[in-house]
Amino acid sequence: MNANAIVQKLWRLCAVLRKDGITYQQYVTELTYLLFLKMMAERQREEGNIPEAYRWDALVKAEPMQKLRVYREALTKLGDPEGSLPRMVQAIFDNASTFIREPQNLTTLITAIDDLDWFSDERDQFGDLYEGLLQKNAEETKRGAGQYFTPRVLIDVLVRLMQPKPGEVIQDPAAGTGGFLIASDRYMRARTDDYFTLGEKEQKFQKHQAFHGMENVPGTLRLLLMNLYLHDLDSDNVDLGDTLSEKGKRLGKADLILTNPPFGPAGGAPTRDDLTVTASVSSYQLPFVEHCIRSLKVGGRAAIVVPDNVLFEDGRGKALRQMMMDWCDLHTILRLPTGIFYAQGVKTNVIFLTKGKADTGNTDEVWVYDLRAQMPKFGKTNQLTDDHFKDFVGAFGADPYGAERGEDQGEEGRWRCFTREEIAARGDNLDISWLREAEDEAEEGLSEPEDIAAAILGHLQAAMLEIEALSAVLEDGAPEAAE
């Protein structure tokens, strides 16, 4: 049975647990615990990390009325920080508890998982299976899931454009469930015969040092660690913490940053002493961009998903854009379609930049691709696909640093070039559009209630961001120059 078929079968079991009052996300968390134990049993060489009383076989053999008791005990013992189990096991089961109340529901789930044919002659499919479950959860709970799940198609496009290379440090400071890190690993494996063309030292680097990340939500970190483990990636450089706090400095310098930071109110300004331009900003998006700029090595590159207000906000926002264009070559902006990030509540873009050697004059021109205007409506019934990005990929070119450009398509096209002087004449406002927006018509065509509700929520949250930005400008006065 292939991974997609297993995902569909496991997802249908969610209907059983819904009767137990379990949400989709709780179901995925529950599956994380059970699939981890099952995976350890399938990979017999690793099951020694689990005490015999709490292994998968013990759960399967327990009497139906005892299964829930054994399962609850296992969650407690495996997550005990005072225990002697490996860090990864303790982290996955940290503060774990089950949402299942009915023993029969647990028996149904365990039996279904145990009956599946997990064997494959191909590379272990557990990773693909787990990612499939995360994607199903995102599709079913779009508003909440968007906090940590970036559409796979967008991740894959950005990874292909940025071309991660073995030996590079790759960072995601808002790692979520690890989509960017795993896609980067997959991209490099495909071009190095699963790393076998590398030397022993290079292989060790890829497994233990290449990938760095931080996630601030404990429940999401659990999913992240599971996802990394199933894809045979070491998690020693992935940690729980707030990137905008002093702990964020531990992420270190990176050759490549790929990230979709959280948007909206952060509940307070950053507590790091090095984020000087956005020191007083109490939302996530601006300080995260400053973190990325400062964390890149010279010559390092980044692709960052940002909401529109990063491109037009005055005050600290303008100071951040000036810093970005001075310190980096901000060579490309991709205006993303509406409907794919309603969960964050705002229109979004991807900014592509390369860190310069000096702290001034690195951006000569910015190329903008408008994939938002005059696009079809996107929602649950119309998913974004790789084909939608084909023209942008062609215009971007084969160079990850933006050195190869397709021809400027003029006012009737989607791909245009703007000089640094033209941008300065706009007050350094990078929210550049020239095609007639079709957003109103697109939203009029939405049919799914959840898409309509998400669109309304998006407008409300976007308005809140603008109000917060105006309030910050009024409170702070003129921004200080970037240091």
Side-chain angles (χ1 to χ4, degrees):
M1 184 179 292
N2 63 35
N4 287 336
I6 294 175
V7 167
Q8 294 297 331
K9 185 163 186 175
L10 287 176
W11 199 253
R12 285 195 294 269
L13 290 173
C14 185
V16 175
L17 298 187
R18 295 283 282 177
K19 297 177 182 177
D20 224 356
I22 292 177
T23 66
Y24 288 114
Q25 186 166 346
Q26 289 170 340
Y27 177 56
V28 171
T29 301
E30 209 77 59
L31 281 178
T32 297
Y33 305 143
L34 293 170
L35 288 175
F36 180 82
L37 295 176
K38 175 62 174 174
M39 177 271 296
M40 295 294 272
E42 292 291 320
R43 297 175 172 179
Q44 296 177 5
R45 67 188 184 280
E46 299 168 349
E47 197 173 21
N49 291 323
I50 305 294
E52 286 189 27
Y54 307 122
R55 293 178 184 175
W56 180 256
D57 194 51
L59 269 179
V60 172
K61 292 181 178 179
E63 293 296 323
M65 297 305 295
Q66 296 300 314
K67 273 184 170 54
L68 189 54
R69 178 188 61 78
V70 173
Y71 181 49
R72 284 171 173 161
E73 273 186 24
L75 297 185
T76 300
K77 295 295 184 181
L78 296 179
D80 183 2
E82 303 299 323
S84 58
L85 296 176
R87 169 189 174 272
M88 183 271 302
V89 175
Q90 293 178 351
I92 286 179
F93 290 93
D94 181 51
N95 289 318
S97 61
T98 180
F99 302 102
I100 299 174
R101 299 191 302 267
E102 295 295 330
Q104 182 55 47
N105 288 340
L106 179 61
T107 298
T108 299
L109 197 54
I110 290 174
T111 301
I113 292 173
D114 199 54
D115 286 346
L116 291 172
D117 179 15
W118 297 96
F119 181 77
S120 170
D121 290 330
E122 304 296 329
R123 184 169 175 259
D124 200 322
Q125 289 188 334
F126 273 100
D128 291 339
L129 160 66
Y130 193 68
E131 281 193 283
L133 287 169
L134 295 177
Q135 184 166 350
K136 287 291 292 182
N137 184 43
E139 291 169 358
E140 294 295 338
T141 58
K142 194 169 185 181
R143 283 191 298 169
Q147 295 171 2
Y148 61 84
F149 192 92
T150 306
R152 169 72 69 82
V153 61
L154 179 59
I155 289 176
D156 288 343
V157 166
L158 298 185
V159 168
R160 291 201 306 269
L161 292 176
M162 291 292 97
Q163 301 175 30
K165 300 176 181 64
E168 292 186 322
V169 172
I170 299 169
Q171 181 191 124
D172 185 348
T177 55
F180 280 115
L181 301 179
I182 289 165
S184 297
D185 175 67
R186 184 185 296 117
Y187 178 91
M188 291 184 285
R189 285 181 183 274
R191 286 153 182 80
T192 58
D193 190 22
D194 217 17
Y195 294 142
F196 284 114
T197 61
L198 304 180
E200 182 178 348
K201 182 178 179 181
E202 289 77 15
Q203 290 185 31
K204 186 176 181 181
F205 177 89
Q206 289 307 121
K207 183 170 177 61
H208 299 291
Q209 300 176 50
F211 303 101
H212 295 239
M214 188 163 286
E215 171 54 45
N216 198 32
V217 180
T220 305
L221 179 73
R222 191 192 318 279
L223 306 183
L224 166 62
L225 295 176
M226 178 71 166
N227 209 7
L228 293 176
Y229 188 67
L230 292 179
H231 285 89
D232 198 28
L233 288 179
D234 189 90
S235 60
D236 284 351
N237 296 306
V238 175
D239 204 357
L240 177 69
D242 179 6
T243 299
L244 304 183
S245 72
E246 287 297 305
K247 194 171 185 179
K249 292 181 180 179
R250 300 182 193 174
L251 284 168
K253 296 291 186 179
D255 298 285
L256 173 61
I257 294 178
L258 295 162
T259 190
N260 175 18
F263 308 155
T271 56
R272 281 172 54 170
D273 59 10
D274 60 332
L275 300 182
T276 56
V277 177
T278 59
S280 61
V281 176
S282 58
S283 62
Y284 286 110
Q285 54 270 22
L286 297 179
F288 260 97
V289 173
E290 183 175 358
H291 163 83
C292 293
I293 295 170
R294 294 185 181 277
S295 295
L296 281 176
K297 298 178 182 178
V298 171
R301 61 205 185 282
I304 312 166
V305 179
V306 297
D308 274 11
N309 76 300
V310 171
L311 304 183
F312 66 73
E313 184 174 313
D314 280 331
R316 297 287 170 177
K318 182 176 180 179
L320 179 66
R321 291 192 299 278
Q322 291 171 338
M323 174 193 187
M324 182 163 47
M325 289 186 284
D326 281 342
W327 289 34
C328 305
D329 176 15
L330 173 63
H331 54 81
T332 309
I333 297 174
L334 169 63
R335 291 169 62 84
L336 289 169
T338 56
I340 63 171
F341 278 115
Y342 276 141
Q344 286 90 338
V346 290
K347 300 173 187 177
T348 53
N349 315 265
V350 183
I351 54 176
F352 299 82
L353 49 87
T354 303
K355 183 76 167 286
K357 293 182 180 180
D359 293 346
T360 183
N362 281 290
T363 299
D364 295 323
E365 58 187 28
V366 179
W367 288 78
V368 181
Y369 192 96
D370 192 339
L371 194 60
R372 181 184 305 169
Q374 302 174 14
M375 289 292 290
K377 55 185 177 294
F378 291 99
K380 187 176 180 181
T381 56
N382 184 28
Q383 299 290 317
L384 193 67
T385 68
D386 197 66
D387 283 343
H388 291 112
F389 290 95
K390 187 178 298 183
D391 290 341
F392 167 66
V393 170
F396 185 95
D399 184 80
Y401 301 94
E404 298 180 15
R405 309 275 80 178
E407 185 177 350
D408 189 315
Q409 297 173 359
E411 293 186 359
E412 300 301 316
R414 294 188 179 276
W415 181 238
R416 296 192 63 190
C417 178
F418 299 87
T419 66
R420 181 68 184 89
E421 290 73 22
E422 289 174 317
I423 293 169
R426 294 171 46 87
D428 290 325
N429 184 324
L430 291 168
D431 187 25
I432 304 172
S433 62
W434 59 93
L435 296 173
R436 183 180 65 84
E437 294 275 359
E439 178 192 359
D440 292 339
E441 292 89 335
E443 290 190 353
E444 285 175 4
L446 295 177
S447 58
E448 294 289 328
E450 61 192 270
D451 288 337
I452 295 171
I456 295 171
L457 178 63
H459 288 299
L460 292 174
Q461 292 185 341
M464 284 300 299
L465 283 177
E466 294 188 30
I467 292 171
E468 289 165 7
L470 176 60
S471 176
V473 171
L474 294 175
E475 289 178 6
D476 292 347
E480 299 172 2
E483 297 180 4

